[in-house]
Amino acid sequence: GGGGGAFRGARGIVNAHGVARRGAGKASKMPPVAIDSLLATRPSDAATQLASKIHDLEMRVKEERKAITKSVDEKALNATRVSLRDKYRELIEVDIAHATRLKCDEQMWKFVFYHRIDDVKKRLATLSASLQEPTK
């Protein structure tokens, strides 16, 4: 690894100062690349297409979450979440800079994990309340 708080990404090692070094750890004569310059690059066509698919899936998750109270199949919602998670991961692997601009890590947490946890908490609260009601 890069050590010292560095992490290895698709474009090399990024140190604690926000500088990426391509081929870090190898004998490389490439100069350091500032993260800001990576983020300023134009996204690839593949990244743009993935971002569009991600947006569509996010909208689908929103719609399916609203409809789930109207007894929409929860398996369909979970399948959409899995597809969305896979697309986020693919975008991160294809174009890390574009994924960073789109805040894919935050969006993945929100759409794939947080909403699921929130839905389960609501159902547990409803179940708990119904169990606490006195029977007549």
Side-chain angles (χ1 to χ4, degrees), residues 75-106:
K75 289 181 182 180
L77 176 57
N78 288 333
T80 303
R81 284 180 172 133
V82 168
S83 295
L84 184 55
R85 181 201 63 203
D86 292 346
K87 292 299 177 194
Y88 280 127
R89 190 167 84 211
E90 190 177 346
L91 179 57
I92 290 166
E93 291 171 356
V94 166
D95 192 334
I96 189 73
H98 191 52
T100 301
R101 279 191 297 274
L102 296 176
K103 300 180 180 180
C104 280
D105 57 330
E106 294 173 23

PDB file of all heavy atoms in Angstrom, residues 75-106:
ATOM      1  N   LYS A  75     -39.994  -7.181  -3.194  1.00  0.00           N
ATOM      2  CA  LYS A  75     -38.885  -7.830  -3.907  1.00  0.00           C
ATOM      3  C   LYS A  75     -38.454  -6.999  -5.109  1.00  0.00           C
ATOM      4  O   LYS A  75     -37.273  -6.930  -5.429  1.00  0.00           O
ATOM      5  CB  LYS A  75     -39.276  -9.238  -4.350  1.00  0.00           C
ATOM      6  CG  LYS A  75     -39.380 -10.210  -3.207  1.00  0.00           C
ATOM      7  CD  LYS A  75     -39.740 -11.593  -3.692  1.00  0.00           C
ATOM      8  CE  LYS A  75     -39.891 -12.529  -2.496  1.00  0.00           C
ATOM      9  NZ  LYS A  75     -40.243 -13.885  -2.918  1.00  0.00           N
ATOM     10  N   ALA A  76     -39.399  -6.354  -5.765  1.00  0.00           N
ATOM     11  CA  ALA A  76     -39.070  -5.496  -6.906  1.00  0.00           C
ATOM     12  C   ALA A  76     -38.228  -4.307  -6.452  1.00  0.00           C
ATOM     13  O   ALA A  76     -37.250  -3.941  -7.116  1.00  0.00           O
ATOM     14  CB  ALA A  76     -40.339  -5.015  -7.598  1.00  0.00           C
ATOM     15  N   LEU A  77     -38.600  -3.716  -5.327  1.00  0.00           N
ATOM     16  CA  LEU A  77     -37.829  -2.592  -4.787  1.00  0.00           C
ATOM     17  C   LEU A  77     -36.420  -3.034  -4.431  1.00  0.00           C
ATOM     18  O   LEU A  77     -35.436  -2.354  -4.751  1.00  0.00           O
ATOM     19  CB  LEU A  77     -38.526  -2.004  -3.563  1.00  0.00           C
ATOM     20  CG  LEU A  77     -37.785  -0.880  -2.821  1.00  0.00           C
ATOM     21  CD1 LEU A  77     -37.466   0.281  -3.750  1.00  0.00           C
ATOM     22  CD2 LEU A  77     -38.610  -0.409  -1.637  1.00  0.00           C
ATOM     23  N   ASN A  78     -36.293  -4.189  -3.795  1.00  0.00           N
ATOM     24  CA  ASN A  78     -34.962  -4.687  -3.436  1.00  0.00           C
ATOM     25  C   ASN A  78     -34.132  -4.995  -4.676  1.00  0.00           C
ATOM     26  O   ASN A  78     -32.930  -4.734  -4.696  1.00  0.00           O
ATOM     27  CB  ASN A  78     -35.074  -5.899  -2.525  1.00  0.00           C
ATOM     28  CG  ASN A  78     -35.543  -5.518  -1.134  1.00  0.00           C
ATOM     29  OD1 ASN A  78     -35.332  -4.399  -0.683  1.00  0.00           O
ATOM     30  ND2 ASN A  78     -36.200  -6.440  -0.458  1.00  0.00           N
ATOM     31  N   ALA A  79     -34.761  -5.523  -5.708  1.00  0.00           N
ATOM     32  CA  ALA A  79     -34.045  -5.795  -6.963  1.00  0.00           C
ATOM     33  C   ALA A  79     -33.545  -4.487  -7.587  1.00  0.00           C
ATOM     34  O   ALA A  79     -32.430  -4.422  -8.110  1.00  0.00           O
ATOM     35  CB  ALA A  79     -34.940  -6.550  -7.934  1.00  0.00           C
ATOM     36  N   THR A  80     -34.366  -3.439  -7.512  1.00  0.00           N
ATOM     37  CA  THR A  80     -33.953  -2.132  -8.030  1.00  0.00           C
ATOM     38  C   THR A  80     -32.774  -1.593  -7.234  1.00  0.00           C
ATOM     39  O   THR A  80     -31.824  -1.054  -7.796  1.00  0.00           O
ATOM     40  CB  THR A  80     -35.129  -1.137  -7.988  1.00  0.00           C
ATOM     41  OG1 THR A  80     -36.218  -1.675  -8.739  1.00  0.00           O
ATOM     42  CG2 THR A  80     -34.735   0.205  -8.563  1.00  0.00           C
ATOM     43  N   ARG A  81     -32.816  -1.766  -5.923  1.00  0.00           N
ATOM     44  CA  ARG A  81     -31.697  -1.312  -5.080  1.00  0.00           C
ATOM     45  C   ARG A  81     -30.407  -2.039  -5.429  1.00  0.00           C
ATOM     46  O   ARG A  81     -29.338  -1.432  -5.485  1.00  0.00           O
ATOM     47  CB  ARG A  81     -32.028  -1.525  -3.605  1.00  0.00           C
ATOM     48  CG  ARG A  81     -32.994  -0.531  -3.035  1.00  0.00           C
ATOM     49  CD  ARG A  81     -33.256  -0.822  -1.572  1.00  0.00           C
ATOM     50  NE  ARG A  81     -34.037   0.232  -0.967  1.00  0.00           N
ATOM     51  CZ  ARG A  81     -35.092   0.022  -0.195  1.00  0.00           C
ATOM     52  NH1 ARG A  81     -35.502  -1.199   0.064  1.00  0.00           N
ATOM     53  NH2 ARG A  81     -35.749   1.034   0.325  1.00  0.00           N
ATOM     54  N   VAL A  82     -30.497  -3.332  -5.668  1.00  0.00           N
ATOM     55  CA  VAL A  82     -29.310  -4.111  -6.042  1.00  0.00           C
ATOM     56  C   VAL A  82     -28.764  -3.616  -7.383  1.00  0.00           C
ATOM     57  O   VAL A  82     -27.556  -3.439  -7.543  1.00  0.00           O
ATOM     58  CB  VAL A  82     -29.629  -5.623  -6.076  1.00  0.00           C
ATOM     59  CG1 VAL A  82     -28.503  -6.402  -6.733  1.00  0.00           C
ATOM     60  CG2 VAL A  82     -29.883  -6.145  -4.672  1.00  0.00           C
ATOM     61  N   SER A  83     -29.650  -3.365  -8.341  1.00  0.00           N
ATOM     62  CA  SER A  83     -29.216  -2.845  -9.647  1.00  0.00           C
ATOM     63  C   SER A  83     -28.534  -1.495  -9.482  1.00  0.00           C
ATOM     64  O   SER A  83     -27.498  -1.229 -10.099  1.00  0.00           O
ATOM     65  CB  SER A  83     -30.410  -2.690 -10.591  1.00  0.00           C
ATOM     66  OG  SER A  83     -30.965  -3.930 -10.895  1.00  0.00           O
ATOM     67  N   LEU A  84     -29.119  -0.649  -8.642  1.00  0.00           N
ATOM     68  CA  LEU A  84     -28.550   0.670  -8.402  1.00  0.00           C
ATOM     69  C   LEU A  84     -27.170   0.559  -7.762  1.00  0.00           C
ATOM     70  O   LEU A  84     -26.224   1.235  -8.180  1.00  0.00           O
ATOM     71  CB  LEU A  84     -29.496   1.481  -7.515  1.00  0.00           C
ATOM     72  CG  LEU A  84     -29.133   2.923  -7.221  1.00  0.00           C
ATOM     73  CD1 LEU A  84     -28.923   3.721  -8.502  1.00  0.00           C
ATOM     74  CD2 LEU A  84     -30.213   3.561  -6.371  1.00  0.00           C
ATOM     75  N   ARG A  85     -27.039  -0.308  -6.772  1.00  0.00           N
ATOM     76  CA  ARG A  85     -25.738  -0.523  -6.118  1.00  0.00           C
ATOM     77  C   ARG A  85     -24.693  -0.958  -7.141  1.00  0.00           C
ATOM     78  O   ARG A  85     -23.574  -0.448  -7.171  1.00  0.00           O
ATOM     79  CB  ARG A  85     -25.874  -1.584  -5.028  1.00  0.00           C
ATOM     80  CG  ARG A  85     -24.562  -1.849  -4.294  1.00  0.00           C
ATOM     81  CD  ARG A  85     -24.544  -3.181  -3.609  1.00  0.00           C
ATOM     82  NE  ARG A  85     -24.663  -4.223  -4.621  1.00  0.00           N
ATOM     83  CZ  ARG A  85     -25.123  -5.457  -4.366  1.00  0.00           C
ATOM     84  NH1 ARG A  85     -25.515  -5.800  -3.179  1.00  0.00           N
ATOM     85  NH2 ARG A  85     -25.173  -6.345  -5.333  1.00  0.00           N
ATOM     86  N   ASP A  86     -25.072  -1.874  -8.016  1.00  0.00           N
ATOM     87  CA  ASP A  86     -24.140  -2.372  -9.036  1.00  0.00           C
ATOM     88  C   ASP A  86     -23.723  -1.265 -10.007  1.00  0.00           C
ATOM     89  O   ASP A  86     -22.563  -1.187 -10.411  1.00  0.00           O
ATOM     90  CB  ASP A  86     -24.748  -3.547  -9.790  1.00  0.00           C
ATOM     91  CG  ASP A  86     -24.921  -4.786  -8.921  1.00  0.00           C
ATOM     92  OD1 ASP A  86     -24.327  -4.843  -7.812  1.00  0.00           O
ATOM     93  OD2 ASP A  86     -25.663  -5.699  -9.354  1.00  0.00           O
ATOM     94  N   LYS A  87     -24.667  -0.402 -10.377  1.00  0.00           N
ATOM     95  CA  LYS A  87     -24.349   0.702 -11.295  1.00  0.00           C
ATOM     96  C   LYS A  87     -23.435   1.722 -10.623  1.00  0.00           C
ATOM     97  O   LYS A  87     -22.522   2.253 -11.251  1.00  0.00           O
ATOM     98  CB  LYS A  87     -25.617   1.385 -11.806  1.00  0.00           C
ATOM     99  CG  LYS A  87     -26.452   0.515 -12.710  1.00  0.00           C
ATOM    100  CD  LYS A  87     -25.686   0.103 -13.945  1.00  0.00           C
ATOM    101  CE  LYS A  87     -26.529  -0.837 -14.784  1.00  0.00           C
ATOM    102  NZ  LYS A  87     -25.740  -1.518 -15.801  1.00  0.00           N
ATOM    103  N   TYR A  88     -23.689   2.029  -9.341  1.00  0.00           N
ATOM    104  CA  TYR A  88     -22.784   2.926  -8.619  1.00  0.00           C
ATOM    105  C   TYR A  88     -21.374   2.348  -8.626  1.00  0.00           C
ATOM    106  O   TYR A  88     -20.403   3.051  -8.901  1.00  0.00           O
ATOM    107  CB  TYR A  88     -23.225   3.104  -7.165  1.00  0.00           C
ATOM    108  CG  TYR A  88     -24.354   4.074  -6.935  1.00  0.00           C
ATOM    109  CD1 TYR A  88     -25.473   3.679  -6.223  1.00  0.00           C
ATOM    110  CD2 TYR A  88     -24.283   5.390  -7.373  1.00  0.00           C
ATOM    111  CE1 TYR A  88     -26.511   4.571  -5.969  1.00  0.00           C
ATOM    112  CE2 TYR A  88     -25.311   6.281  -7.126  1.00  0.00           C
ATOM    113  CZ  TYR A  88     -26.422   5.866  -6.425  1.00  0.00           C
ATOM    114  OH  TYR A  88     -27.437   6.741  -6.168  1.00  0.00           O
ATOM    115  N   ARG A  89     -21.258   1.066  -8.297  1.00  0.00           N
ATOM    116  CA  ARG A  89     -19.936   0.430  -8.242  1.00  0.00           C
ATOM    117  C   ARG A  89     -19.265   0.461  -9.608  1.00  0.00           C
ATOM    118  O   ARG A  89     -18.068   0.756  -9.720  1.00  0.00           O
ATOM    119  CB  ARG A  89     -20.062  -1.003  -7.726  1.00  0.00           C
ATOM    120  CG  ARG A  89     -18.706  -1.605  -7.418  1.00  0.00           C
ATOM    121  CD  ARG A  89     -18.800  -2.873  -6.628  1.00  0.00           C
ATOM    122  NE  ARG A  89     -19.022  -3.963  -7.557  1.00  0.00           N
ATOM    123  CZ  ARG A  89     -19.709  -5.059  -7.298  1.00  0.00           C
ATOM    124  NH1 ARG A  89     -20.262  -5.225  -6.118  1.00  0.00           N
ATOM    125  NH2 ARG A  89     -19.854  -5.996  -8.181  1.00  0.00           N
ATOM    126  N   GLU A  90     -20.033   0.196 -10.652  1.00  0.00           N
ATOM    127  CA  GLU A  90     -19.478   0.206 -12.006  1.00  0.00           C
ATOM    128  C   GLU A  90     -18.989   1.605 -12.377  1.00  0.00           C
ATOM    129  O   GLU A  90     -17.900   1.763 -12.943  1.00  0.00           O
ATOM    130  CB  GLU A  90     -20.547  -0.264 -12.990  1.00  0.00           C
ATOM    131  CG  GLU A  90     -20.032  -0.516 -14.384  1.00  0.00           C
ATOM    132  CD  GLU A  90     -21.110  -1.058 -15.314  1.00  0.00           C
ATOM    133  OE1 GLU A  90     -22.189  -1.483 -14.849  1.00  0.00           O
ATOM    134  OE2 GLU A  90     -20.850  -1.046 -16.529  1.00  0.00           O
ATOM    135  N   LEU A  91     -19.759   2.634 -12.033  1.00  0.00           N
ATOM    136  CA  LEU A  91     -19.341   4.002 -12.337  1.00  0.00           C
ATOM    137  C   LEU A  91     -18.056   4.352 -11.589  1.00  0.00           C
ATOM    138  O   LEU A  91     -17.151   4.965 -12.150  1.00  0.00           O
ATOM    139  CB  LEU A  91     -20.444   5.001 -11.990  1.00  0.00           C
ATOM    140  CG  LEU A  91     -20.116   6.472 -12.230  1.00  0.00           C
ATOM    141  CD1 LEU A  91     -19.726   6.721 -13.686  1.00  0.00           C
ATOM    142  CD2 LEU A  91     -21.287   7.348 -11.837  1.00  0.00           C
ATOM    143  N   ILE A  92     -17.963   3.950 -10.335  1.00  0.00           N
ATOM    144  CA  ILE A  92     -16.755   4.209  -9.556  1.00  0.00           C
ATOM    145  C   ILE A  92     -15.551   3.550 -10.215  1.00  0.00           C
ATOM    146  O   ILE A  92     -14.473   4.141 -10.293  1.00  0.00           O
ATOM    147  CB  ILE A  92     -16.941   3.738  -8.098  1.00  0.00           C
ATOM    148  CG1 ILE A  92     -17.942   4.660  -7.384  1.00  0.00           C
ATOM    149  CG2 ILE A  92     -15.613   3.693  -7.348  1.00  0.00           C
ATOM    150  CD1 ILE A  92     -18.467   4.134  -6.060  1.00  0.00           C
ATOM    151  N   GLU A  93     -15.734   2.338 -10.735  1.00  0.00           N
ATOM    152  CA  GLU A  93     -14.630   1.634 -11.381  1.00  0.00           C
ATOM    153  C   GLU A  93     -14.293   2.224 -12.751  1.00  0.00           C
ATOM    154  O   GLU A  93     -13.135   2.266 -13.139  1.00  0.00           O
ATOM    155  CB  GLU A  93     -14.971   0.148 -11.526  1.00  0.00           C
ATOM    156  CG  GLU A  93     -15.009  -0.569 -10.195  1.00  0.00           C
ATOM    157  CD  GLU A  93     -15.560  -1.993 -10.289  1.00  0.00           C
ATOM    158  OE1 GLU A  93     -15.996  -2.415 -11.385  1.00  0.00           O
ATOM    159  OE2 GLU A  93     -15.566  -2.672  -9.251  1.00  0.00           O
ATOM    160  N   VAL A  94     -15.303   2.713 -13.477  1.00  0.00           N
ATOM    161  CA  VAL A  94     -15.089   3.247 -14.830  1.00  0.00           C
ATOM    162  C   VAL A  94     -14.474   4.642 -14.799  1.00  0.00           C
ATOM    163  O   VAL A  94     -13.564   4.952 -15.568  1.00  0.00           O
ATOM    164  CB  VAL A  94     -16.422   3.261 -15.620  1.00  0.00           C
ATOM    165  CG1 VAL A  94     -16.327   4.112 -16.872  1.00  0.00           C
ATOM    166  CG2 VAL A  94     -16.839   1.850 -15.969  1.00  0.00           C
ATOM    167  N   ASP A  95     -14.988   5.501 -13.907  1.00  0.00           N
ATOM    168  CA  ASP A  95     -14.521   6.893 -13.892  1.00  0.00           C
ATOM    169  C   ASP A  95     -14.647   7.443 -12.471  1.00  0.00           C
ATOM    170  O   ASP A  95     -15.660   8.032 -12.102  1.00  0.00           O
ATOM    171  CB  ASP A  95     -15.349   7.722 -14.876  1.00  0.00           C
ATOM    172  CG  ASP A  95     -14.774   9.101 -15.143  1.00  0.00           C
ATOM    173  OD1 ASP A  95     -14.054   9.629 -14.260  1.00  0.00           O
ATOM    174  OD2 ASP A  95     -15.051   9.661 -16.216  1.00  0.00           O
ATOM    175  N   ILE A  96     -13.612   7.236 -11.683  1.00  0.00           N
ATOM    176  CA  ILE A  96     -13.631   7.633 -10.276  1.00  0.00           C
ATOM    177  C   ILE A  96     -13.824   9.135 -10.112  1.00  0.00           C
ATOM    178  O   ILE A  96     -14.503   9.583  -9.189  1.00  0.00           O
ATOM    179  CB  ILE A  96     -12.358   7.142  -9.526  1.00  0.00           C
ATOM    180  CG1 ILE A  96     -12.474   7.365  -8.010  1.00  0.00           C
ATOM    181  CG2 ILE A  96     -11.109   7.805 -10.047  1.00  0.00           C
ATOM    182  CD1 ILE A  96     -13.411   6.438  -7.325  1.00  0.00           C
ATOM    183  N   ALA A  97     -13.266   9.928 -11.008  1.00  0.00           N
ATOM    184  CA  ALA A  97     -13.406  11.383 -10.906  1.00  0.00           C
ATOM    185  C   ALA A  97     -14.866  11.796 -11.093  1.00  0.00           C
ATOM    186  O   ALA A  97     -15.394  12.612 -10.337  1.00  0.00           O
ATOM    187  CB  ALA A  97     -12.513  12.077 -11.930  1.00  0.00           C
ATOM    188  N   HIS A  98     -15.528  11.230 -12.094  1.00  0.00           N
ATOM    189  CA  HIS A  98     -16.941  11.559 -12.332  1.00  0.00           C
ATOM    190  C   HIS A  98     -17.797  11.050 -11.172  1.00  0.00           C
ATOM    191  O   HIS A  98     -18.712  11.741 -10.723  1.00  0.00           O
ATOM    192  CB  HIS A  98     -17.401  10.976 -13.667  1.00  0.00           C
ATOM    193  CG  HIS A  98     -18.726  11.477 -14.124  1.00  0.00           C
ATOM    194  ND1 HIS A  98     -19.025  12.816 -14.218  1.00  0.00           N
ATOM    195  CD2 HIS A  98     -19.845  10.818 -14.518  1.00  0.00           C
ATOM    196  CE1 HIS A  98     -20.269  12.961 -14.642  1.00  0.00           C
ATOM    197  NE2 HIS A  98     -20.794  11.761 -14.832  1.00  0.00           N
ATOM    198  N   ALA A  99     -17.484   9.867 -10.686  1.00  0.00           N
ATOM    199  CA  ALA A  99     -18.218   9.320  -9.541  1.00  0.00           C
ATOM    200  C   ALA A  99     -18.066  10.220  -8.320  1.00  0.00           C
ATOM    201  O   ALA A  99     -19.018  10.423  -7.564  1.00  0.00           O
ATOM    202  CB  ALA A  99     -17.729   7.903  -9.226  1.00  0.00           C
ATOM    203  N   THR A 100     -16.893  10.802  -8.145  1.00  0.00           N
ATOM    204  CA  THR A 100     -16.647  11.718  -7.030  1.00  0.00           C
ATOM    205  C   THR A 100     -17.458  12.993  -7.203  1.00  0.00           C
ATOM    206  O   THR A 100     -18.067  13.474  -6.248  1.00  0.00           O
ATOM    207  CB  THR A 100     -15.143  12.048  -6.929  1.00  0.00           C
ATOM    208  OG1 THR A 100     -14.427  10.826  -6.747  1.00  0.00           O
ATOM    209  CG2 THR A 100     -14.858  12.982  -5.775  1.00  0.00           C
ATOM    210  N   ARG A 101     -17.482  13.531  -8.424  1.00  0.00           N
ATOM    211  CA  ARG A 101     -18.280  14.742  -8.688  1.00  0.00           C
ATOM    212  C   ARG A 101     -19.760  14.498  -8.392  1.00  0.00           C
ATOM    213  O   ARG A 101     -20.455  15.378  -7.905  1.00  0.00           O
ATOM    214  CB  ARG A 101     -18.129  15.174 -10.147  1.00  0.00           C
ATOM    215  CG  ARG A 101     -16.884  15.966 -10.445  1.00  0.00           C
ATOM    216  CD  ARG A 101     -16.933  16.590 -11.825  1.00  0.00           C
ATOM    217  NE  ARG A 101     -16.994  15.618 -12.898  1.00  0.00           N
ATOM    218  CZ  ARG A 101     -15.951  15.020 -13.463  1.00  0.00           C
ATOM    219  NH1 ARG A 101     -14.740  15.296 -13.043  1.00  0.00           N
ATOM    220  NH2 ARG A 101     -16.103  14.164 -14.445  1.00  0.00           N
ATOM    221  N   LEU A 102     -20.239  13.308  -8.710  1.00  0.00           N
ATOM    222  CA  LEU A 102     -21.651  12.976  -8.496  1.00  0.00           C
ATOM    223  C   LEU A 102     -21.940  12.508  -7.070  1.00  0.00           C
ATOM    224  O   LEU A 102     -23.089  12.202  -6.752  1.00  0.00           O
ATOM    225  CB  LEU A 102     -22.088  11.896  -9.490  1.00  0.00           C
ATOM    226  CG  LEU A 102     -22.044  12.284 -10.959  1.00  0.00           C
ATOM    227  CD1 LEU A 102     -22.416  11.094 -11.833  1.00  0.00           C
ATOM    228  CD2 LEU A 102     -22.969  13.463 -11.239  1.00  0.00           C
ATOM    229  N   LYS A 103     -20.901  12.440  -6.243  1.00  0.00           N
ATOM    230  CA  LYS A 103     -21.023  11.998  -4.844  1.00  0.00           C
ATOM    231  C   LYS A 103     -21.677  10.620  -4.754  1.00  0.00           C
ATOM    232  O   LYS A 103     -22.608  10.392  -3.978  1.00  0.00           O
ATOM    233  CB  LYS A 103     -21.794  13.019  -4.015  1.00  0.00           C
ATOM    234  CG  LYS A 103     -21.128  14.378  -3.980  1.00  0.00           C
ATOM    235  CD  LYS A 103     -21.901  15.354  -3.150  1.00  0.00           C
ATOM    236  CE  LYS A 103     -21.171  16.696  -3.171  1.00  0.00           C
ATOM    237  NZ  LYS A 103     -21.857  17.692  -2.383  1.00  0.00           N
ATOM    238  N   CYS A 104     -21.181   9.702  -5.578  1.00  0.00           N
ATOM    239  CA  CYS A 104     -21.752   8.353  -5.639  1.00  0.00           C
ATOM    240  C   CYS A 104     -21.737   7.647  -4.293  1.00  0.00           C
ATOM    241  O   CYS A 104     -22.670   6.908  -3.983  1.00  0.00           O
ATOM    242  CB  CYS A 104     -21.022   7.511  -6.681  1.00  0.00           C
ATOM    243  SG  CYS A 104     -21.570   7.858  -8.352  1.00  0.00           S
ATOM    244  N   ASP A 105     -20.710   7.866  -3.495  1.00  0.00           N
ATOM    245  CA  ASP A 105     -20.664   7.195  -2.193  1.00  0.00           C
ATOM    246  C   ASP A 105     -21.827   7.632  -1.312  1.00  0.00           C
ATOM    247  O   ASP A 105     -22.499   6.801  -0.698  1.00  0.00           O
ATOM    248  CB  ASP A 105     -19.322   7.433  -1.503  1.00  0.00           C
ATOM    249  CG  ASP A 105     -18.989   8.911  -1.322  1.00  0.00           C
ATOM    250  OD1 ASP A 105     -19.424   9.747  -2.154  1.00  0.00           O
ATOM    251  OD2 ASP A 105     -18.291   9.243  -0.349  1.00  0.00           O
ATOM    252  N   GLU A 106     -22.118   8.939  -1.298  1.00  0.00           N
ATOM    253  CA  GLU A 106     -23.237   9.447  -0.499  1.00  0.00           C
ATOM    254  C   GLU A 106     -24.577   8.977  -1.059  1.00  0.00           C
ATOM    255  O   GLU A 106     -25.470   8.588  -0.306  1.00  0.00           O
ATOM    256  CB  GLU A 106     -23.212  10.971  -0.459  1.00  0.00           C
ATOM    257  CG  GLU A 106     -22.024  11.545   0.271  1.00  0.00           C
ATOM    258  CD  GLU A 106     -21.946  13.061   0.151  1.00  0.00           C
ATOM    259  OE1 GLU A 106     -22.983  13.711  -0.108  1.00  0.00           O
ATOM    260  OE2 GLU A 106     -20.832  13.588   0.310  1.00  0.00           O
TER     261      GLU A 106
END
